[in-house]
Amino acid sequence: MSDNCDQYWANVMAAIPIPISDAGGPEPVVPMTRNWSDEIPRSRFSSWRVPVGERLTWLQAELDSREDDDPPGVVAAMEIAHQSTRVRTNLATWYSGSDIERSWRALHLAETRVIATSPDLVGRLPAIRERVLEDLDPKDQRVRALLAVRSTNIGDVERAVIAEALRGAYATSDNSHSAVRSLRNRLVLFGILMLLLNVVLGVLSSVFPTLLPLCVKGFCATGGSTPTGGDIWLIQLLGALGGAVAVVILLLRTRPSVVAYTLTPYQAAIKIMLGAVLAVVGVLITATGLFQDVIANRPALLVAALVLGYAQQVGTRFLDTYADNVVGKAQPKAGESN
């Protein structure tokens, strides 16, 4: 039985054609380069997969240029990063950011291993030091050890020092992106809360027009002398319009960002929703007679609602500054593109 199996496989192997070179021997086997890019025909709402595919292609080129075996764990990490780019995004993965963060963390692990084991590591030292100093404090022991590495003496210990410094820099960058995602999620939740509050107030005031005293000196927002269900909707609309004016200012002062998570649309939504709420609150205060000399007619009431909607800028300006700082820490550094 064993002799028959051996003969069978011998016949199979003999039937496989072997290309013959001009020199008379078998042609050398040329390894096929893996295509790490995202599926081009598939439509995407975000472009974070593009730089991931570019970095994976660069890593593959680095591996192909070496004669030694691939460093342990590199190909597995690249495969994880690539699979994460092919997953269809749903609400849960969008909220958690699992696909983006898994992809970049696996990519950074592979890149650390490839760079630390590079045969031309001496030539990469200046760029490595620049990259590490972008994210780690100069007093960090890993940075000090990295700066102490001399190009004339690169051994296993020095490569380990370089790998740990890169790991620390990449971890800081990844954590900064996680902070942006966390802030985005909080903005989304707060925006939904403001939207629900506006809708509830509008519906209740439409059903019970006298629930909120929104008329001043006998005139109401819609032009009548008695409260109607449309008063609160008009006030909220004008407040939202005032918030939209503040959104224009936000767009003018916000710097372009290539971070995978964007905050500007959610900041804009909060300004609009909060403007609508503040307009209602402001008209309620006016109805107490506090500004009776200022709000003397219906046009003045409508203008007051518009101005009060813009007034949310006083508070949300601090939110804008905080968001700028969080996004600034996650902006790509030298030699990085995520």
Side-chain angles (χ1 to χ4, degrees):
M1 183 67 176
S2 177
D3 293 339
N4 293 335
C5 289
D6 292 342
Q7 184 61 37
Y8 170 78
W9 285 112
N11 294 335
V12 170
M13 296 300 295
I16 299 176
I18 300 178
I20 304 299
S21 65
D22 295 338
E27 291 186 351
V29 178
V30 179
M32 296 182 62
T33 302
R34 172 77 179 272
N35 181 14
W36 296 98
S37 61
D38 183 32
E39 297 180 64
I40 296 177
R42 178 177 294 184
S43 299
R44 303 289 192 182
F45 286 101
S46 60
S47 61
W48 66 268
R49 296 172 177 84
V50 176
V52 171
E54 183 269 333
R55 294 283 280 276
L56 286 172
T57 303
W58 178 83
L59 288 172
Q60 185 64 59
E62 286 286 323
L63 296 177
D64 292 342
S65 65
R66 302 183 184 183
E67 297 180 356
D68 299 334
D69 294 336
D70 298 337
V74 169
V75 176
M78 293 170 63
E79 186 64 35
I80 292 173
H82 185 233
Q83 290 299 324
S84 297
T85 64
R86 297 172 63 87
V87 176
R88 184 180 296 275
T89 302
N90 53 42
L91 182 61
T93 57
W94 174 86
Y95 185 83
S96 65
S98 58
D99 293 337
I100 297 177
E101 297 189 20
R102 183 191 305 113
S103 180
W104 277 106
R105 289 178 185 271
L107 190 62
H108 286 155
L109 186 151
E111 188 167 336
T112 298
R113 297 284 294 174
V114 169
I115 293 176
T117 58
S118 175
D120 56 349
L121 185 59
V122 173
R124 301 176 188 262
L125 270 179
I128 293 172
R129 288 169 177 157
E130 185 72 20
R131 176 65 188 87
V132 170
L133 286 170
E134 291 283 353
D135 279 316
L136 297 184
D137 190 279
K139 297 181 180 180
D140 192 300
Q141 294 298 322
R142 292 167 294 185
V143 175
R144 292 181 175 180
L146 175 63
L147 296 177
V149 173
R150 295 293 175 260
S151 58
T152 57
N153 183 24
I154 299 293
D156 292 340
V157 174
E158 286 73 21
R159 292 181 182 275
V161 168
I162 293 171
E164 289 301 318
L166 277 175
R167 283 186 59 216
Y170 284 141
T172 302
S173 175
D174 293 334
N175 292 337
S176 297
H177 280 76
S178 298
V180 177
R181 175 185 52 79
S182 177
L183 178 58
R184 182 206 64 183
N185 291 347
R186 282 182 285 170
L187 292 177
V188 170
L189 294 177
F190 184 71
I192 294 175
L193 178 62
M194 288 292 98
L195 176 61
L196 292 177
L197 179 60
N198 278 293
V199 171
V200 170
L201 284 176
V203 171
L204 290 178
S205 295
S206 297
V207 177
F208 307 102
T210 58
L211 178 65
L212 297 176
L214 299 177
C215 297
V216 180
K217 291 185 177 182
F219 55 85
C220 302
T222 53
S225 58
T226 57
T228 63
D231 290 333
I232 190 169
W233 294 112
L234 180 57
I235 292 173
Q236 287 178 329
L237 178 62
L238 291 172
L241 181 60
V245 175
V247 171
V248 175
I249 298 176
L250 170 68
L251 296 176
L252 290 175
R253 61 174 297 274
T254 300
R255 294 175 299 176
S257 172
V258 293
V259 176
Y261 305 109
T262 179
L263 301 181
T264 304
Y266 312 107
Q267 293 173 253
I270 287 178
K271 288 178 182 291
I272 294 174
M273 294 296 103
L274 191 57
V277 172
L278 289 182
V280 175
V281 173
V283 172
L284 286 175
I285 295 175
T286 303
T288 64
L290 185 61
F291 302 105
Q292 59 180 352
D293 296 333
V294 179
I295 310 299
N297 49 50
R298 178 173 174 263
L301 178 63
L302 299 181
V303 171
L306 182 66
V307 172
L308 289 167
Y310 178 80
Q312 49 73 37
Q313 179 71 4
V314 176
T316 56
R317 181 68 178 83
F318 296 100
L319 174 62
D320 297 339
T321 302
Y322 177 70
D324 289 343
N325 293 334
V326 173
V327 173
K329 293 179 180 179
Q331 284 280 31
K333 309 300 188 301
E336 187 182 12
S337 59
N338 71 332

